[in-house]
Structures are given as structure tokens and as C-alpha cells.
Amino acid sequence: MSKAPDLDPAQDAPDVRPPKHHAVGLPAVASSLRHVGTQAGIKRGLPLLRGVNQTDGFDCPGCAWPEPGHRHPAEFCENGAKAIAEEATRLQIAPAFFDDHPLTDLADKSGYWLGQQGRLTEPVYLAEGADNYKPVSWDEAFAIIAEELADLDNPDGAAFYTSGRTSNEAAFLYQLFARKLGTNNLPDCSNMCHESSGAALAETIGIGKGSVTLDDLHQADLIIVAGQNPGTNHPRMLTALEKAKRAGARIATVNPLPEAGMRRFKNPQTARGLIGRGTDLTDLFLQIKIGGDLALFSILNRMLLRAGDMAPGVIDRKFIDTHTHGFDAFAAHHATGDDDAALAEAAERTGLSEVEIERLLGMVLAADKIVVCWAMGLTQHRHAVPTIREVVAFLLLRGNIGRPGAGVCPVRGHSNVQGDRTMGVWERMPDRFLDALGTEFDFAPPRDHGLDTVGTIRAMRDGRVKVFFAMGGNFVAATPDTAATEDAMRRCRLTVHVSTKLNRSHVVTGARALILPALGRTDVDAPGGREQFVTVEDSMGIVHASRGSVPALSPHMRSEVAIVAGLARAVFGPNDPVPWEHFAADYDRIRDRIEHVVPGFADYNARARVPGGFALPHAPRDERVFPTATGKANFTVNPVTSPEAGPGRLLLQTLRSHDQFNTTIYGLDDRYRGIQGGRRVVLVNPDDAAELGLVDGAYCDLVSEWPDGDRRAPHFRIVHYPTARGCAAAYFPETNVLVPLDSVAEFSNTPTSKSIVVRFEPDSGTAEAAAP
């Protein structure tokens, strides 16, 4: 096991090599074992790997991809192993750490260095005017929070953020606490990622979740993967795609960057993958311009309608007439103008050739069952919701929702972000949920909608939110407009973070601050000596149990359930009618109450104990019933738009490296893209670079433009890379500073982190001065 680094490594001088053309294989196995051995040690780490994603084990904190019915003994991926190694590390922050490292020192450290210091093991408190965190007891910590909450003019002066790591049980209690306090200010990480998916899907099919199962993927004739990089962000998805491919499916990949995982997959659980060529996944790669997906699906729909005019059976008229609403207006919209001009415009907006678009149309016409998968590449644009509505229309035209082998598949990142929303962590929960919650716990929940993530930042900036409480996550590093967000956070009276490890949010504080150490997924949770399990919901609506297996590093670490219960006692007093401590002693009692409030959770405790868990009801998938305002699936009219950069500018998308999970940085390499030993890089197409005079290996500042002023990310190494023309890419959180707080998606308020107009200016800074 290694020790925590003393020095913060430079991140601005990477070794750059050609990108890879395949993913996983032996290098991924070696990387997994190296990370686990280095962080957790072999004795502690290998048993954890045997238990991850098993029916009697724990759910991997690395992503929300579902488990298959038949599970492999090694049911994890490389990045899952990294996540487990990070959490199960034996490194811990000693009591003297904060004496040796004042806040002014920690504020200059990178997120990577902070995270590598080890697990947080006791509550610490930063007093007003102080420069060092100091140990504090749990009772003292809860009393500080209760004091600040009591001093608020009204409950909406507090905001309660949630990371997708939080279990169903903790999330349910957490939202109950906030609403008992009197606020719906429940921002969460979904506000920044799949909120656009939820908004579009709720409007069009009546439920803001995907409609497919793993079996549907395996049975599909055509799978379109758009705006997603499974090889890094959801590696276990590659196994499902390989199985579909072996069954005869064809795969079209739509992305501004060629990604190794979608080119060729070397499955390490097969001889073909370990020592052979592996499986070629993509049949058609469409290197689309950033933000061109609406134009692509719009022209596909227009062409399908024309094909349907000429040949019966292309369009599923029976399904459309029986189950949908708005088709006539949709068809009329796509009948306006000249077809050839529309195709030419689509080619211009997408950067694709007309031949490429027609090839995709041919694959669509040859397929009976189609699944469309997507992630942040579709959701983080101003026109994200119209784009996803057009994707739904594409599937509705041929009846590809509500039957095997077909449907919508938004692929979520955090392992329980979907479950947290199901449990009520949303600033706009419907009245039926609030009615049930109030009836169950005999109180009147607030009805005014609360603040989402962007709204919370604005409210902190304006002095309307004075107490910020985060259940997990790294809010400052995950959010847009870094300077504005950090300034807003510093305006709070109190900031509180429930965390497993140090991160940037702990060093950007309100007048007072608390860090509360939490148990992770891998840790045994045994209040009073009685082991508990929690439940999570995966990206396809399967709810199942998760049980930690390694002893906690410190007796001062508490579960998220226990933290909420302890806080509630301090705020509401010991005579509150909600039995908080009763819940914390036995999580079955929480699940008993959840089943009275949340639809689909009848017999929750019994079904949670069934190996593999249970599927939540999904009316569009299960019955072709669409609980929308019209009672049917809705076609919508979505005028085509796409972002434009203008002369001398490029469109920048932010993305993860392969050594990264959201804001958690495992290392400084991006193996598949050929970047080793650094993160401050910007990937630029060589032809664009030639036109703009951007020399490979030179350094530049990235500057975004917005009506209220420019934003600058200094000192990025230029890397010539096969991006789409007119497009560039760089890692977040380093480039979050470029995303204006007010640049958000229509209808969902999601930051537009995938379409930032930037210009390149001469280098003005150093990596040390610009560490995230």
C-alpha cells in the first residue's frame, strides 16, 4: 500500500501518444489490480472485488449500469475497481493533518492531491475566521447545524444537495428531513446531467426514465449510441453491446470524438478478448459536430416519413393511431420546405455527409427493433430537451417503445442517482408524492417548488440561501462557472459536507464549515452491532440490495442514515413524532414506510431480499400505457437548431479522462486517448489547429464568451487530435470555469457543458496557478 503524496504533481506536461483503437483487455486487468493493490492492499482489496455487484455483495459506486441475471465472478470493470480502491483505501487522514495544513494551503492543492490523502475519519469544524479545521464531536456538529437553521428567516434559506451515491434509505430520510424543516430546496447531481432526459421523457412518454432492460439490448436489431463514451464512463455496457452484436445487432455510434471502447472491445472475461482481436462493435461511426444531434434525428424523421409515404409498413400507423398524440402536427412540421434543402442543411449542421446520413437511414429501415442510448453528449446543450424529444419521436414512428428489443436508454452515471429521484430528492416532486408523504408522517409538506442546482448557486450568490448542506458529492467542482460558484459558496453562513474523502468543496467554505465522515458502499454498516443493508436503483429501474464487507477505519464514521437521524434529533428535538433514531437502528423500518409513500415498492423488505432485487413498474414498457397529460405518447414539434462558434472560435465540450469518475480523479492518465501524466490539455482537430495557428505542444488560454463577460481557463497544452471539425474537447472540472452560470438548457436548466464557444489566446498562466 502506498502512502499519501506529499507533493502535488504537475498536470500540464503530459506525454502524448496516438489514441488507442481498442479498449479493455489485459491493460485494464493490470490497471484494476494495480489500483486495488496500491490503495486497499491485496488482503483487503481482492475480497472486495469478489463481492462487487454480486447478489450478496455491494453495489459498485462507479456507475449505474445494471447487472445481468447470470453474473460473472468478476462482475466489475476497470473504473469500478478504481472506485472501490479509492473508497476502500487504508489511507486515512490523521488528526494532525488539519493542524499541518491550514485552509490557505489546502486551497492551492489540486483535487487529485486532496483525494489521495485518504479517508476522513472524524467530524471536523472550521470556526468563523479560522484557518484550520479542528476535530469536533458529532453532537457538537449537529448543534452547530441546528443553530444556523434556527437562525434562518425561513426554511428556504437552506439548501440540501444530494450526490447520486446516496442509498434509497438515506435519500428518503434526507428529503423527509428537508420537507419537515419546510423547504423543497433539494438540488441534486441529476440537475447537471440527465435532467434534460427526465424533462423530455416525462413529456413524451410519461415517465422520466429509460424504457429498456438488458434483455432488450441483447434482442435489438439496431443500437444507436449517441453522445456517450461507454469505454470510460460505463465499461460494463461494452459487454452488453458485445452480446447484442453476437446475436446479430448492428451498432451506429454518433459522437464528435472516436472512442476506443466503441471501436473494438477486448473482453477480459473471454480468451478472444484477452489474447485475441476482441469484438468490433461499431458498424457505422458518424463523427457529428458538437450539438448536431437534433439536426440528425430531425432529418431521419423527415426521411422516414417520406419513406412511409412510398412504402406501407415503414411507419407503424397502428401504433401511432392507438398510442400516440400529436402526429399530424409533427408530420406537417416535417413536410414543410424542400427535402433536398433539408438534407443539405442537416449535413451542414451535423458535419456529416449526405451519404453518411443515408447510410444510417438504411440501417434504420433494415431494423425492426431499435434502441437509442445516450448520455451527456445529448443532455448538456441549450437544445437538449428538444433533441431528446426528437429521439423519442424517431422511436415512436416505428413503434419502438413498449416492445422487446426496443426503446429509450438514457445511461446514467452515479450508481443511485435514479433511485434518489425515485425517493423524492427533487425540488419539484408532484403533489401525489407530497400528499402521500404528509399522510404517512402527519405533517404538511411545503408545496412551492424549490431550487435546483443552478438556482441554488444563484440564491447563495444573492444571499437568499445561507446554509448549504451536501450529502456526498463535490459541489464546487461539479458545477459550472467555477469563480461564480465559489464566490456564492463563500457568502453562506454555514457549509456542511457529508463525505468519505477530501475534495475541493471542503476548501471553499462559508463563514463556518463542517465535514462529516460517512461510511461508503464497501464499509460494514452495523449500528448497535446489527449489520444493515441498503438498496439502490440502477439505470434500468432494478432495485436491489447492497451490503458493505470491510470494517470501517474509524468508530467515528457514520452511515448517511445515522447522520440524517442525528441531525433530525438535534433540529426537531427528541419528541418529534418521526422516529428518526428508530429508523437508524433498523433500515427495514425505513423501507416499511417507503412502501407506503412511493409507488412500486409494495412488500419492499421481502423483495429487497430476493437475489437480484426487483424491477419497478414502467407503464410504457410494460403495458404501452403512457401517463402523460394526453394519456398517450406525445409527438412534439422541435425546430432544428445547433450551436455555432463563429470565425476564429471552436465549440468545446467538457469530458472525463479514463482516470476519472465525475470529479474524482484517480490518476493523471487518459490511456485510450494517449494522454499520460497530465490533465491540462485541449484536443483540437489538426485542420482547425492549422487554420487558427495552434501548434501541437504549445500552450494557450481557453476563453469563453458570454454577454456578462469572458471566462478564462489558463495554461492548456494543445494536442492535435481527430475531433470533429470545428470542435475541441478538454477535461472537467478544469474547464467548468468556462461554462456561464446562465448558459443552461431550455426546460431543464442543465448547464451547457457540451457546447461552449471558445477562442484561443496566448498562454498567460501556469498549471500551479490554475489547479482545480
Side-chain angles (χ1 to χ4, degrees), residues 523-543:
D523 298 317
V524 172
D525 182 3
R530 182 179 176 186
E531 288 194 17
Q532 302 294 316
F533 70 88
V534 296
T535 57
V536 296
E537 178 185 344
D538 66 32
S539 199
M540 294 181 178
I542 306 298
V543 177

Side-chain angles (χ1 to χ4, degrees), residues 28-161:
V29 175
S31 173
S32 300
L33 295 176
R34 182 175 66 254
H35 276 270
V36 170
T38 299
Q39 290 281 351
I42 298 300
K43 184 177 180 181
R44 181 180 172 91
L46 288 184
L48 281 171
L49 293 180
R50 287 197 295 269
V52 63
N53 293 326
Q54 301 298 330
T55 56
D56 59 350
F58 64 93
D59 189 63
C60 178
C63 80
W65 191 252
E67 285 71 54
H70 175 71
R71 305 189 187 191
H72 193 278
E75 192 59 56
F76 60 88
C77 68
E78 177 191 357
N79 277 1
K82 292 174 185 175
I84 293 161
E86 283 280 309
E87 183 177 288
T89 180
R90 295 191 65 86
L91 294 174
Q92 53 188 294
I93 293 178
F97 176 87
F98 291 106
D99 291 333
D100 297 336
H101 295 281
L103 200 65
T104 47
D105 172 56
L106 295 175
D108 290 334
K109 302 297 186 183
S110 71
Y112 170 71
W113 186 91
L114 292 171
Q116 292 302 304
Q117 299 308 304
R119 289 288 294 271
L120 294 157
T121 57
E122 62 181 339
V124 290
Y125 170 55
L126 182 73
E128 187 167 4
D131 198 29
N132 295 80
Y133 280 101
K134 297 292 184 182
V136 66
S137 72
W138 280 100
D139 287 344
E140 290 170 320
F142 292 144
I144 291 166
I145 303 169
E147 175 190 350
E148 288 288 354
L149 292 175
D151 284 346
L152 294 174
D153 295 333
N154 66 76
D156 287 332
F160 297 91
Y161 175 75

